[in-house]
């Protein structure tokens, strides 16, 4: 199996577990538009590709930093999640016909930063790569680029599928259901953010 396919499988599998990023992408797809959800997902996929590159290249300085400083990074991620959750909790949905492309850079950056502030993503990539015996590509830039490209494509494929399903169901949500969906997502995201803070406080 080529490294591109191995990377694609790893990227897809590590992105697939449902968590706060998935909840945010689904909420944005339903409340805004498909493009907003996809841009949010691609932000997470870009961060996955970065961590995949660090694990594949074996960048010792960066990996040591991620492991040593993971506590405060997770605190930052938890704080961001709580702020996003509070915003969703009190957000009043706008009519869909008023939606445009505003906010897309923020959609991308928010999920990109949230994924980066979870160093366990790097740990997961490093563990999977070691298990699959992919460490041999270190020092071979072309092969590593193929692997990292596969990671991005695999992660992006998951977000494309998830947001596509959410988009297909979005017209079942009227204004009241959108408000409920926003609040439910907000509570879930706040809960995860609070859990991050409690775990790192130990």
């Amino acid at each position: 199996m080529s490294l591109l396919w191995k990377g694609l499988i790893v990227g897809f599998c590590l992105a697939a577990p449902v968590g706060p990023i998935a909840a945010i992408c689904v909420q944005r797809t339903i409340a805004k538009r498909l493009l907003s959800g996809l841009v949010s997902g691609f932000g997470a996929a870009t961060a996955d590709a970065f961590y995949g590159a660090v694990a594949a290249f074996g960048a010792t300085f960066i990996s040591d930093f991620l492991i040593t400083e993971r506590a405060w990074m997770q605190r930052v991620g938890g704080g961001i999640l709580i702020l996003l959750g509070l915003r969703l909790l009190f957000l009043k949905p706008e009519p869909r016909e008023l939606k445009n492309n505003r906010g897309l850079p923020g959609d991308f950056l928010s999920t990109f930063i949230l994924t980066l502030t979870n160093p366990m993503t790097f740990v997961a990539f490093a563990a999977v790569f070691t298990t699959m015996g992919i460490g041999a590509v270190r020092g071979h830039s072309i092969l590593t680029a193929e692997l990292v490209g596969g990671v991005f494509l695999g992660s992006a494929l998951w977000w494309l599928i998830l947001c596509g399903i959410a988009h297909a169901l979005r017209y079942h949500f009227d204004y009241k259901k959108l408000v409920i969906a926003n609040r439910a997502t907000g509570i879930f995201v706040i809960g995860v953010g609070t859990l991050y803070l409690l775990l790192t406080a130990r």
Side-chain angles (χ1 to χ4, degrees):
M1 186 183 299
S2 72
L3 286 174
L4 178 66
W5 281 103
K6 286 184 178 181
L8 192 149
I9 292 171
V10 172
F12 185 90
C13 292
L14 291 185
V18 176
I21 303 295
I24 290 171
C25 290
V26 169
Q27 184 275 333
R28 288 174 178 172
T29 300
I30 293 174
K32 294 182 179 181
R33 56 190 304 183
L34 177 60
L35 184 60
S36 180
L38 288 176
V39 168
S40 300
F42 290 164
T46 303
D48 283 341
F50 169 77
Y51 276 138
V54 173
F57 276 109
T60 305
F61 170 75
I62 298 178
S63 60
D64 289 346
F65 173 82
L66 293 173
I67 300 301
T68 304
E69 306 298 335
R70 64 183 180 184
W72 73 262
M73 291 179 68
Q74 288 182 338
R75 290 192 190 100
V76 171
I80 294 174
L81 283 174
I82 290 173
L83 291 176
L84 284 176
L86 288 172
R87 183 175 181 275
L88 287 173
L89 200 59
F90 299 105
L91 181 68
K92 293 183 178 180
E94 296 180 5
R96 289 195 178 102
E97 58 270 17
L98 296 181
K99 301 296 181 185
N100 53 37
N101 289 342
R102 71 181 186 278
L104 290 180
D107 290 339
F108 179 91
L109 285 174
S110 60
T111 52
F112 176 75
I113 293 173
L114 279 173
T115 306
L116 280 185
T117 54
N118 184 8
M120 294 310 295
T121 304
F122 160 74
V123 175
F125 274 110
V128 173
F129 285 173
T130 300
T131 302
M132 296 180 69
I134 303 180
V137 303
R138 293 176 181 173
H140 300 275
S141 299
I142 296 178
L143 293 178
T144 305
E146 182 180 350
L147 173 66
V148 175
V151 168
F152 175 81
L153 291 176
S155 181
L157 177 62
W158 162 250
W159 298 116
L160 181 62
I161 293 172
L162 181 68
C163 293
I165 294 173
H167 180 71
L169 298 175
R170 71 194 295 258
Y171 291 105
H172 294 283
F173 287 79
D174 55 19
Y175 182 83
K176 290 183 179 179
K177 289 180 180 178
L178 281 176
V179 172
I180 294 173
N182 282 354
R183 290 177 178 173
T185 305
I187 292 172
F188 174 69
V189 171
I190 290 172
V192 175
T194 303
L195 183 62
Y196 275 23
L197 295 180
L198 290 176
L199 290 176
T200 54
R202 293 181 179 180

